[in-house]
Amino acid sequence: MYNLILIAVLLLSSSNSFAQAKNLISQNANEAELPANKRFEFPNATDTKAFLLNLAALNEKDIFELSLFNGQNIQFQFSKMYHYTNGASSWYGKSVQGNGDVILSFYQGNVHGIIIDDFNKKYMLQQINTTQYFVLSKVDNTLLKEAPEGIKDYIEDSSPHKKSRANADVCAIGSTCVGNSTIDIMVLGAAQAIIDGGGNVPAFTVNATSAVTEMNTAISNSGGAAVTFNLIHCDATAFVTSNDLS
């Protein structure tokens, strides 16, 4: 009898937890409803959809839900807030049902997101012109071809490795580095990179913020070295790209 009561209580508790998840999508949308925009068209996107997102509901205690594709969703809860020297920040949440996570980055009214679901599928969340309209793209990195045919995407170095000891500025050879280390990062975008990042420097900056936070969470979740990346500056630069890596 007591076992049956305990099972009933556990099932009720699980049901209530599921019911309390707040769906951040307030309304689905279609392409015709979207404001004119310069969002990046991911060449490796396999699914795309648009909606209105209520990010004002975000907090550090509730469970939130985002519907993805084909009936899939991710439920997640706040884990950590990342703040960077350049004024950008990222809200980081972890799945309550599996190993997925959600990064939502903010900078001067611009928002960008990276989502990994519980099946290790990746999604990119793009804001449309600092509005509540967003486009979610499911991306398949196995479809990416990073270098044109016949062009090497690496630099060959035939010179012998000359270093015989650790960099004294990092830690002495044979010893364990003590304490946390911070690596400051500046990200500069050529004209096309700024366009791909949303058409202006603030939009480009919030994209870079998500990338830096993704590095920080990867290191933290892997239990690796006590290293934190700090985004200190983003800007546009006059730079002509080429396929020459030499």
Side-chain angles (χ1 to χ4, degrees):
M1 178 66 177
Y2 292 112
N3 288 339
L4 290 175
I5 292 175
L6 178 60
I7 291 172
V9 170
L10 289 174
L11 287 174
L12 180 60
S13 174
S14 175
S15 175
N16 286 340
S17 175
F18 183 84
Q20 291 171 356
K22 296 183 177 180
N23 194 339
L24 291 178
I25 298 177
S26 57
Q27 180 182 323
N28 290 319
N30 56 54
E31 288 286 339
E33 298 177 65
L34 299 180
N37 62 87
K38 296 180 179 179
R39 79 174 189 271
F40 180 63
E41 301 287 347
F42 292 97
N44 58 331
T46 58
D47 287 293
T48 302
K49 69 176 182 178
F51 44 68
L52 277 80
L53 204 58
N54 179 24
L55 292 180
L58 280 179
N59 58 51
E60 298 184 4
K61 62 183 180 65
D62 290 322
I63 296 174
F64 299 97
E65 179 178 286
L66 270 176
S67 57
L68 303 172
F69 297 93
N70 301 320
Q72 300 291 326
N73 63 52
I74 182 170
Q75 291 191 358
F76 55 96
Q77 194 168 26
F78 176 81
S79 177
K80 185 174 181 178
M81 199 77 189
Y82 290 86
H83 297 279
Y84 299 106
T85 299
N86 70 330
S89 62
S90 292
W91 187 101
Y92 176 61
K94 290 186 176 182
S95 170
V96 299
Q97 300 171 317
N99 296 319
D101 56 16
V102 175
I103 294 171
L104 296 169
S105 298
F106 304 88
Y107 181 73
Q108 295 185 0
N110 294 271
V111 184
H112 180 267
I114 299 175
I115 300 162
I116 306 294
D117 69 16
D118 295 324
F119 304 97
N120 205 34
K121 301 299 183 183
K122 190 169 187 176
Y123 307 80
M124 306 300 289
L125 185 66
Q126 294 176 280
Q127 185 187 33
I128 305 301
N129 301 353
T130 66
T131 67
Q132 286 187 305
Y133 283 99
F134 286 81
V135 171
L136 183 71
S137 300
K138 182 179 180 180
V139 294
D140 183 354
N141 288 340
T142 64
L143 300 178
L144 284 178
K145 187 177 181 181
E146 302 206 359
E149 194 69 37
I151 302 296
K152 293 180 179 179
D153 58 358
Y154 57 91
I155 299 175
E156 292 181 338
D157 184 9
S158 59
S159 61
H161 196 63
K162 296 180 180 179
K163 272 203 169 185
S164 59
R165 68 183 205 71
N167 187 334
D169 293 331
V170 179
C171 58
I173 189 168
S175 67
T176 301
C177 293
V178 179
N180 296 328
S181 298
T182 299
I183 299 175
D184 290 338
I185 295 179
M186 178 173 66
V187 181
L188 301 178
Q192 189 59 51
I194 299 298
I195 292 172
D196 291 344
N200 54 67
V201 172
F204 171 77
T205 299
V206 81
N207 278 262
T209 303
S210 290
V212 171
T213 301
E214 190 174 30
M215 292 191 297
N216 281 325
T217 58
I219 291 176
S220 176
N221 292 338
S222 68
V227 175
T228 300
F229 296 100
N230 175 37
L231 186 60
I232 62 172
H233 185 66
C234 288
D235 211 339
T237 184
F239 175 74
V240 179
T241 60
S242 74
N243 290 324
D244 184 4
L245 296 177
S246 60

